[in-house]
Amino acid sequence: MYTPTPQDRFTFGLWTVGNRGRDPFGVETRPPVDPVDIVHMLAEIGAWGVNLHDNDLVPIDATPSERDAIVARFTKALDDTGVQFVMGTVNLFTDPVFKDGAFTSNVPEIRRYALRKTIEAIDLAAELGGKIFVLWGGREGAEVNAAKNPMDAVKRFREALNYLCEYVIDQGYEMKFALEAKPNEPRGDIYFSSTGAYLALIPTLEHPDMVGVNPEFAHETMAGLSFHHIVAQALEQGKLFHIDLNDQKIGRFDQDLRFGSENYKESFFLVKVLEDGGYDGPLHFDAHAYRTEDLEGVKEFAKGCMRSYLIFKEKVHRFNEDEEIQQLLKEIQAADEEPLTYDRVRPGQLVAPDFDRRAWGAKGYAYERLDQLLFDLMMGVR
Ligand code: GCO
Ligand code: MN
Ligand code: MN
């Protein structure tokens, strides 16, 4: 029942299951894993797809013929296993050239190089059959704000996105962009610090239809925000093009924990929003195994992400079917009326003569009971 199949649309990045456990204080605890072996492992555990940054597969210094050989070998692994390539992205953060930003760098030549590198990564994603391209501006930020103008950052980032959309149109690719926000790390502050900032930028682009968001559980949680609220907004606005599922303790460094490992309740409501809201895009786990784990532990980690999602999904189903919960919801949520428009209801008609402000203020909402029923359901005692 909790065994994933490709129909569940679960994906992992090469950099997630291939993460080697390095942190700022310690070296790698796991050996490198060949991307081809990762694809086979993902097929074995029932994942649907795989995602990558350009340099997860092709080294930054590879020659064109080296690149083609690597891509051919990887494509064969996809064909042999049936694992889909789903999302491509570009690494604009590891190489020292990007130490003060890529699209928002103060140096025009670096901004142009970042665009060229992104275009090559888009070509790679298109060649592999991907239709989603994620942009996470890891280095687009500052420590020394005296050196950078944050309004220029907005203008430069917009300019880069407009350029990339034109490129995709020019090539005839069927590719959409998903923007991923993060408040900080690796920069002291990163521009466009939450998904809401990107949702506000998108309507100012030349091709807003081609651009959506890729919210990440850990990143909004670092900032102390409710993840499922912003996911709901993105979904409602037709902008949830991709999602990075993981977990995180509030206020910490970016932990990228196994999905479902920390915030059970928030994860429940997230899965509820995705399932009830009809999200049908990929479910990507942008997480990695604890540094204590060997390769067997990495497999357990990946299986755990998917299993937890499916368990939450079943709990959502039970919540939606639970008679007592649904009865309670019926009592506290007034029946839907027709949309309130200025045309239909004039200001003088808004409030009925018998509206009883005091009675409404005194009425109990039964939320304590409802919330406890949810707790009981989640803990399996209901
Ligand atoms: C992080 C980020 C990255 C991005 C990835 C896609 O936690 O460091 O979320 O994992 O999602 O680089 O561009
Ligand atoms: Mn993260
Ligand atoms: Mn991410």
Side-chain angles (χ1 to χ4, degrees):
M1 181 172 185
Y2 305 127
T3 308
T5 69
Q7 282 71 45
D8 293 310
R9 312 186 316 280
F10 294 135
T11 70
F12 291 87
L14 289 183
W15 73 95
T16 64
V17 273
N19 179 284
R20 297 185 56 201
R22 194 167 57 121
D23 71 18
F25 301 94
V27 297
E28 289 81 354
T29 60
R30 289 187 284 268
V33 189
D34 184 333
V36 166
D37 293 338
I38 291 182
V39 170
H40 283 272
M41 190 271 274
L42 293 179
E44 180 198 321
I45 64 175
W48 171 57
V50 65
N51 310 314
L52 53 84
H53 300 84
D54 49 356
N55 304 136
D56 298 338
L57 185 65
V58 183
I60 192 166
D61 290 326
T63 64
S65 64
E66 285 166 351
R67 176 223 181 258
D68 291 350
I70 292 168
V71 174
R73 197 171 156 265
F74 187 71
T75 307
K76 183 172 181 305
L78 297 177
D79 293 344
D80 289 348
T81 55
V83 170
Q84 298 293 305
F85 175 74
V86 177
M87 176 272 270
T89 181
V90 59
N91 184 326
L92 297 177
F93 43 89
T94 299
D95 195 89
V97 70
F98 300 124
K99 63 191 172 192
D100 196 26
F103 299 153
T104 65
S105 163
N106 276 333
V107 183
E109 270 176 278
I110 295 178
R111 298 206 293 275
R112 286 170 177 234
Y113 172 66
L115 275 178
R116 238 273 310 283
K117 189 174 193 292
T118 304
I119 280 171
E120 284 166 14
I122 291 172
D123 290 341
L124 172 64
E127 184 178 338
L128 293 170
K131 296 193 168 63
I132 304 165
F133 198 88
V134 163
L135 286 168
W136 171 60
R139 298 276 174 199
E140 315 290 10
E143 294 79 32
V144 178
N145 282 299
K148 299 182 101 177
N149 178 340
M151 282 177 76
D152 284 347
V154 177
K155 290 193 180 73
R156 289 169 182 168
F157 199 83
R158 182 189 294 114
E159 187 178 273
L161 281 172
N162 287 340
Y163 192 96
L164 293 171
C165 287
E166 290 294 343
Y167 179 73
V168 164
I169 293 167
D170 204 23
Q171 296 298 306
Y173 292 153
E174 217 185 298
M175 183 88 69
K176 288 191 170 192
F177 295 97
L179 309 178
E180 177 176 346
K182 189 172 179 178
N184 59 274
E185 197 196 329
R187 299 313 298 265
D189 290 286
I190 297 180
Y191 302 128
F192 305 104
S193 50
S194 67
T195 301
Y198 278 136
L199 285 173
L201 176 76
I202 291 169
T204 74
L205 301 174
E206 274 165 23
H207 301 282
D209 292 353
M210 294 173 66
V211 186
V213 292
N214 176 39
E216 174 170 318
F217 198 130
H219 299 177
E220 307 292 319
T221 307
M222 286 166 77
L225 304 174
S226 162
F227 186 56
H228 86 277
H229 284 191
I230 194 65
V231 168
Q233 187 185 340
L235 191 55
E236 202 276 339
Q237 294 185 205
K239 286 296 178 194
L240 190 66
F241 288 6
H242 196 266
I243 189 163
D244 277 1
L245 301 170
N246 54 19
D247 215 331
Q248 170 78 28
K249 286 197 192 204
I250 202 164
R252 307 282 165 92
F253 65 95
D254 185 29
Q255 294 175 301
D256 291 337
L257 299 169
R258 187 183 76 255
F259 181 68
S261 59
E262 279 295 328
N263 299 283
Y264 304 154
K265 204 172 181 183
E266 184 62 21
S267 301
F268 170 86
F269 284 112
L270 170 65
V271 174
K272 190 167 189 308
V273 160
L274 293 173
E275 297 296 326
D276 292 354
Y279 174 71
D280 60 3
L283 294 164
H284 172 230
F285 297 105
D286 188 12
H288 47 73
Y290 302 122
R291 196 161 176 266
T292 48
E293 300 311 288
D294 59 10
L295 294 179
E296 207 39 53
V298 170
K299 209 191 271 186
E300 286 306 313
F301 145 83
K303 283 157 71 177
C305 286
M306 298 188 287
R307 181 178 169 83
S308 299
Y309 188 98
L310 293 175
I311 292 172
F312 282 122
K313 188 171 162 179
E314 197 237 341
K315 296 286 182 195
V316 167
H317 184 71
R318 281 189 190 220
F319 181 95
N320 290 344
E321 298 291 306
D322 188 297
E323 269 174 39
E324 195 178 349
I325 290 176
Q326 291 310 314
Q327 184 53 39
L328 214 51
L329 285 175
K330 226 179 262 165
E331 285 163 24
I332 58 191
Q333 295 177 348
D336 267 358
E337 44 181 66
E338 279 185 48
L340 184 62
T341 61
Y342 196 75
D343 271 358
R344 202 169 59 79
V345 184
R346 309 307 295 181
Q349 301 168 301
L350 277 171
V351 178
D354 61 351
F355 175 74
D356 191 342
R357 176 172 59 84
R358 280 194 187 80
W360 276 108
K363 185 179 153 51
Y365 278 44
Y367 285 2
E368 289 289 358
R369 173 99 193 109
L370 177 65
D371 205 47
Q372 186 66 40
L373 286 173
L374 170 63
F375 179 82
D376 287 5
L377 186 147
M378 286 186 58
M379 293 299 135
V381 296
R382 196 173 160 67

Coordinates of all heavy atoms in Angstrom, one line a residue, residues 15 53 89 93 134 136 180 182 216 219 244 254 256 286, ligand 1:
W15 N 22.0 15.1 -7.3 CA 22.7 15.7 -6.2 C 22.1 15.4 -4.8 O 22.7 15.7 -3.8 CB 22.8 17.2 -6.4 CG 21.5 18.0 -6.1 CD1 21.1 18.5 -4.9 CD2 20.4 18.2 -7.0 NE1 19.8 19.1 -5.1 CE2 19.4 18.9 -6.4 CE3 20.2 17.8 -8.4 CZ2 18.2 19.2 -7.0 CZ3 19.0 18.2 -9.0 CH2 18.0 18.9 -8.3
H53 N 21.5 19.0 -12.2 CA 22.2 20.3 -12.6 C 23.2 19.8 -13.7 O 23.7 18.7 -13.7 CB 23.1 20.8 -11.5 CG 22.5 21.2 -10.3 ND1 22.2 20.3 -9.3 CD2 22.1 22.4 -9.8 CE1 21.6 21.0 -8.3 NE2 21.5 22.2 -8.6
T89 N 18.5 21.8 -14.3 CA 18.8 23.1 -13.7 C 20.3 23.3 -13.9 O 21.0 22.6 -14.6 CB 18.4 23.0 -12.2 OG1 18.7 24.3 -11.6 CG2 19.1 21.9 -11.4
F93 N 26.5 28.3 -8.7 CA 27.0 28.6 -7.4 C 28.3 28.0 -7.0 O 29.0 28.5 -6.1 CB 25.9 28.2 -6.4 CG 25.2 26.9 -6.6 CD1 25.8 25.7 -6.1 CD2 24.1 26.8 -7.4 CE1 25.2 24.5 -6.4 CE2 23.5 25.6 -7.7 CZ 24.0 24.4 -7.2
V134 N 14.6 24.5 -13.6 CA 14.6 25.2 -12.3 C 15.7 26.2 -12.2 O 16.8 26.0 -12.7 CB 14.6 24.2 -11.1 CG1 15.1 24.9 -9.8 CG2 13.3 23.5 -10.9
W136 N 17.6 28.3 -9.3 CA 17.8 28.7 -7.9 C 19.0 29.6 -7.8 O 20.1 29.1 -8.2 CB 18.0 27.4 -7.1 CG 18.4 27.7 -5.7 CD1 17.7 28.4 -4.8 CD2 19.7 27.4 -5.0 NE1 18.5 28.6 -3.6 CE2 19.7 27.9 -3.7 CE3 20.8 26.6 -5.5 CZ2 20.7 27.8 -2.8 CZ3 21.8 26.5 -4.6 CH2 21.8 27.0 -3.3
E180 N 13.1 29.2 -7.7 CA 13.2 28.7 -6.4 C 13.9 29.7 -5.4 O 15.0 30.1 -5.6 CB 14.1 27.4 -6.4 CG 14.3 26.8 -5.0 CD 15.0 25.5 -5.0 OE1 15.2 24.9 -6.1 OE2 15.5 25.1 -4.0
K182 N 15.1 31.2 -1.6 CA 15.8 30.8 -0.3 C 16.2 32.1 0.4 O 16.7 33.0 -0.2 CB 17.0 29.9 -0.7 CG 17.6 29.3 0.5 CD 18.7 28.3 0.0 CE 19.4 27.6 1.2 NZ 20.4 26.6 0.7
E216 N 10.4 25.4 -1.9 CA 11.0 24.3 -1.2 C 10.6 24.4 0.3 O 10.8 25.4 0.9 CB 12.6 24.4 -1.3 CG 13.2 23.3 -0.4 CD 14.7 23.1 -0.6 OE1 15.1 23.1 -1.8 OE2 15.4 23.0 0.4
H219 N 13.3 25.9 2.7 CA 13.6 27.3 2.5 C 12.6 28.2 3.2 O 12.9 29.2 3.8 CB 13.8 27.6 1.0 CG 14.9 26.8 0.4 ND1 15.2 26.9 -0.9 CD2 15.8 26.0 0.9 CE1 16.2 26.1 -1.2 NE2 16.6 25.5 -0.1
D244 N 9.9 21.3 -4.3 CA 11.1 20.6 -3.7 C 10.6 20.2 -2.3 O 10.4 21.0 -1.4 CB 12.3 21.6 -3.5 CG 13.1 21.6 -4.8 OD1 12.7 20.9 -5.8 OD2 14.2 22.3 -4.8
D254 N 20.1 25.4 6.2 CA 19.3 24.6 5.3 C 19.6 23.1 5.5 O 20.7 22.6 5.1 CB 19.7 25.0 3.8 CG 18.8 24.3 2.8 OD1 17.7 24.0 3.1 OD2 19.3 24.1 1.7
D256 N 17.7 20.3 4.6 CA 17.3 19.3 3.5 C 17.1 17.9 4.0 O 17.6 16.9 3.5 CB 18.4 19.3 2.4 CG 18.5 20.6 1.6 OD1 17.5 21.4 1.5 OD2 19.5 20.9 1.0
D286 N 14.0 17.1 -2.7 CA 15.3 17.8 -2.7 C 15.9 17.7 -1.3 O 15.9 18.7 -0.6 CB 15.2 19.3 -3.1 CG 16.5 20.0 -3.3 OD1 17.5 19.2 -3.3 OD2 16.6 21.2 -3.4
Ligands
GCO1 C1 19.6 23.8 -1.8 C2 18.8 24.1 -3.0 C3 19.2 23.3 -4.1 C4 18.4 23.6 -5.4 C5 19.0 23.1 -6.6 C6 18.2 23.3 -7.8 O1 19.0 23.4 -0.8 O2 20.8 24.1 -1.8 O3 17.5 23.9 -2.7 O4 19.2 22.0 -3.9 O5 17.1 23.1 -5.3 O6 20.3 23.6 -6.7 O7 18.8 24.4 -8.5

